[in-house]
Amino acid sequence: MPRGDGRLSHDLNPGEKGPRDACGVFGVWAPGEEVSKLTYFGLYALQHRGQESAGIAVSNGSKILVFKDMGLVSQVFDETSLSSLQGHIAVGHTRYSTTGASVWENAQPTFRATGHGSIALGHNGNLVNAAELAAMVAELPGSRGPRHRVAATNDTDLVTALLAGQTDDDGTALTVEQAAARVLPRVRGAFSFVFMDEQTLYAARDPQGFRPLVLGRLERGWVVASETAALDIVGASFIREVEPGELIAIDESGLRSSRFADAKPRGCVFEYVYLARPDTTIAGRNVYLSRVEMGRRLAREAPAEADLVIATPESGTPAAIGYAEASGIPYGSGLVKNSYVGRTFIQPSQTIRQLGIRLKLNPLREVIRGKRLVVVDDSIVRGNTQRALVRMLREAGAAEVHVRISSPPIKWPCFFGIDFATRAELIANGLSVEQIGTSLGADSLAYISLEGMVEATTIAKPDLCRACFDGEYPVDLPDPQLLGKEVLEDSDRPGATGAGTAAVSDVDGVATLLSGPGAADALRRP
Ligand code: 5GP
Ligand code: MG
């Protein structure tokens, strides 16, 4: 909740990205299967959606156990912890966040006792009415007083508390399924929830379907997951998407579907650009094919005189392939990526920091020397990646560097689950494309058009959320102050970062020092 000391809460946590998540969720109902291992491999397939913390909750029908910790899926779990998680229902989560408020309490699945047992819940997305939900939690019976405070400071735990604490008029506790029918219509923003009580696995998706969520079938059970690629990895066959506005419940009497809201599809276009795995299909459209098509269209919209097309690995690769194909310029590898550089908890020394992205990308000098290059990447956020890359390619002997981006300039913050920079930090906010190109040191810079990107997805434009590109937010946003990411943070709670400069990891996983306010006033600032 906003603090009463008159200061905006984000001032205390500069640079801290807080509980805005682009996460991965996974759930399985499968008697007779090792559900904790299936969930582990499902999360492994979704690791790209969140590298900060990982967790699995398992129910054996009478008790739920939760195991979660900071780190990658492979760092959090081992044979011992997985074999201690015995049961037939599981829910798993990988979380994207940054250091600071990335405390254990905010790791997921979140867990609560209910009037009938307990609930464990994982969330992908970001809610925009957290303040309202916090007020609803405060109204729950027995929730007054500091002892009943919600320990976590994320929007997700509010929903868990609400699902756990509903009662009917005479004070009898509702079941989780009854509570979901009452609570879910009150939740605003982006949510793909996977949750369970002792007997039942649930999946719910917001009416806009901002984030993906799919249903799959095992020989002896059911799976829900953020992406179809996670179904493939555990050998589940794709059945269908969880519909926007739908609640699914799976238990021994089978699968039940109900609606808590009408569907108003506004799937996130950035899933097609960057977030999702290329081998995933969302709303019937494969992500890889979308990216290649974005590259083809980019080549037609923004041709370049060049000798070689190279990708910014890995996420720029499909678009670079499409660009090369449509332009007739050969495609080659100009950069080698170290695939083992994920989010590191080790702060780089000053010397390493200056080397920047070299930790991750190293140029192939023998390929680059003397060439006029087209460098394709999926997006520019702050511009750090392309600026470092252009310099690196020139040092490696490139004759010319033409940067081509397969999404339009990102000008607006995302309130639906992508932890972009604040509006002030977005390089495209306030600079023309030409000025950005100059700032990157490129010989030329061009972005694909909004129409080109949208058409490449084959999804109808009105059915996509493009807010980060065009500022058209599909749901009403509350007062910017109530959107602050530390809206639930308490200045004196343990783990809250003090004023000053906070260490965070940048989008490329290399820790950097950043200062500046959070996104709380992002829409107001120039
Ligand atoms: P920039 O360096 O311009 O700040 O960020 C652009 C780079 O970050 C691109 O190479 C793009 O692939 C990557 N990127 C874009 N969005 C995200 C995101 O939400 N998370 C992470 N980790 N990387 C991103
Ligand atoms: Mg990239």
Side-chain angles (χ1 to χ4, degrees):
M1 248 162 287
R3 280 183 303 279
D5 61 7
R7 277 180 298 169
L8 285 180
S9 55
H10 62 252
D11 286 343
L12 281 179
N13 234 350
E16 172 50 50
K17 291 183 179 176
R20 291 253 162 81
D21 304 325
C23 301
V25 289
F26 188 88
V28 52
W29 188 91
E33 295 283 353
E34 289 182 277
V35 291
S36 64
K37 286 204 175 160
L38 288 177
T39 307
Y40 174 84
F41 288 110
L43 293 181
Y44 220 106
L46 298 171
Q47 183 75 82
H48 62 290
R49 299 185 72 87
Q51 290 116 48
E52 188 63 28
S53 63
I56 298 177
V58 171
S59 169
N60 61 7
S62 57
K63 198 174 67 185
I64 294 180
L65 278 181
V66 186
F67 190 101
K68 60 184 179 180
D69 211 342
M70 311 308 294
L72 300 172
V73 176
S74 61
Q75 293 167 323
V76 170
F77 295 99
D78 57 20
E79 283 285 347
T80 314
S81 52
L82 289 175
S83 53
S84 72
L85 294 168
Q86 292 289 338
H88 68 285
I89 316 177
V91 162
H93 189 266
T94 59
R95 180 167 191 248
Y96 176 84
S97 163
T98 54
T99 40
S102 187
V103 289
W104 187 88
E105 286 90 334
N106 282 345
Q108 297 188 25
T110 56
F111 178 85
R112 291 244 150 192
T114 70
H116 297 274
S118 45
I119 174 174
L121 178 146
H123 172 206
N124 172 206
N126 184 64
L127 307 180
V128 296
N129 66 333
E132 193 183 317
L133 297 173
M136 287 164 64
V137 169
E139 292 301 314
L140 289 176
S143 70
R144 291 182 197 281
R147 278 194 308 126
H148 297 283
R149 270 204 59 146
V150 179
T153 56
N154 62 41
D155 49 1
T156 306
D157 197 54
L158 295 171
V159 174
T160 314
L162 287 172
L163 291 173
Q166 300 297 311
T167 53
D168 67 14
D169 291 342
D170 61 18
T172 317
L174 298 190
T175 65
V176 167
E177 195 162 351
Q178 291 165 336
R182 187 191 281 182
V183 171
L184 293 175
R186 309 283 306 267
V187 184
R188 302 266 174 277
F191 56 89
S192 287
F193 289 135
V194 174
F195 52 113
M196 66 185 189
D197 55 28
E198 279 76 359
Q199 291 83 35
T200 310
L201 174 71
Y202 302 94
R205 198 170 172 205
D206 63 75
Q208 288 74 29
F210 284 109
R211 302 283 146 229
L213 191 61
V214 293
L215 175 69
R217 193 85 169 97
L218 290 168
E219 219 163 284
R220 295 187 289 177
W222 296 92
V223 176
V224 285
S226 288
E227 297 189 24
T228 60
L231 300 183
D232 300 338
I233 267 82
V234 300
S237 50
F238 170 76
I239 299 294
R240 63 176 176 85
E241 304 231 331
V242 176
E243 294 296 324
E246 185 188 20
L247 169 69
I248 283 179
I250 298 164
D251 60 20
E252 50 193 18
S253 41
L255 181 147
R256 297 183 288 286
S257 162
S258 59
R259 270 203 170 277
F260 60 89
D262 291 337
K264 293 180 206 127
R266 296 286 186 280
C268 168
V269 72
F270 207 67
E271 293 277 353
Y272 295 95
V273 169
Y274 169 82
L275 282 177
R277 284 171 58 131
D279 51 343
T280 279
T281 292
I282 306 171
R285 174 60 166 168
N286 171 259
V287 169
Y288 176 81
L289 295 181
S290 306
R291 291 178 187 166
V292 173
E293 182 59 21
M294 286 172 201
R296 288 192 198 109
R297 286 169 185 263
L298 180 59
R300 283 181 226 120
E301 290 182 15
E305 288 275 319
D307 309 307
L308 188 69
V309 176
I310 68 169
T312 309
E314 311 283 341
S315 49
T317 302
I321 289 170
Y323 192 102
E325 186 195 302
S327 65
I329 305 169
Y331 171 82
S333 286
L335 297 157
V336 174
K337 181 179 179 179
N338 181 338
S339 0
Y340 303 96
V341 180
R343 277 182 175 256
T344 168
F345 293 109
I346 310 294
Q347 294 291 315
S349 71
Q350 190 54 24
T351 316
I352 297 287
R353 200 193 303 285
Q354 275 159 7
L355 291 172
I357 59 166
R358 256 165 236 256
L359 196 58
K360 194 178 180 184
L361 294 175
N362 200 29
L364 266 168
R365 288 174 191 79
E366 292 70 15
V367 172
I368 287 164
R369 199 172 294 130
K371 301 259 174 51
R372 297 172 301 165
L373 300 177
V374 172
V375 180
V376 181
D377 202 358
D378 60 278
S379 58
I380 292 179
V381 183
R382 293 188 178 86
N384 295 335
T385 305
Q386 286 310 318
R387 189 176 301 110
L389 208 53
V390 169
R391 195 191 314 136
M392 195 161 85
L393 293 170
R394 291 205 195 281
E395 282 167 15
E400 289 171 23
V401 183
H402 302 276
V403 177
R404 295 291 180 271
I405 305 295
S406 60
S407 63
I410 299 173
K411 295 188 175 169
W412 302 88
C414 176
F415 298 107
F416 309 114
I418 307 178
D419 202 357
F420 280 142
T422 64
R423 202 170 171 217
E425 289 167 316
L426 295 170
I427 192 170
N429 173 44
L431 291 187
S432 68
V433 173
E434 206 183 327
Q435 287 169 319
I436 299 168
T438 308
S439 147
L440 302 180
D443 291 290
S444 73
L445 167 70
Y447 294 83
I448 195 173
S449 64
L450 185 72
E451 274 58 38
M453 171 189 67
V454 166
E455 280 166 20
T457 68
T458 72
I459 310 291
K461 187 175 172 187
D463 292 353
L464 289 170
C465 176
R466 308 96 41 190
C468 56
F469 302 114
D470 64 10
E472 275 182 39
Y473 292 95
V475 301
D476 289 339
L477 300 172
D479 185 304
Q481 276 191 42
L482 298 179
L483 276 171
K485 58 199 149 222
E486 294 97 22
V487 78
L488 304 169
E489 296 273 0
D490 198 3
S491 56
D492 52 15
R493 68 185 295 282
T497 333
T501 311
V504 299
S505 280
D506 70 11
V507 282
D508 285 293
V510 182
T512 45
L513 286 175
L514 275 183
S515 59
D521 61 345
L523 285 175
R524 259 197 217 137
R525 268 183 283 133

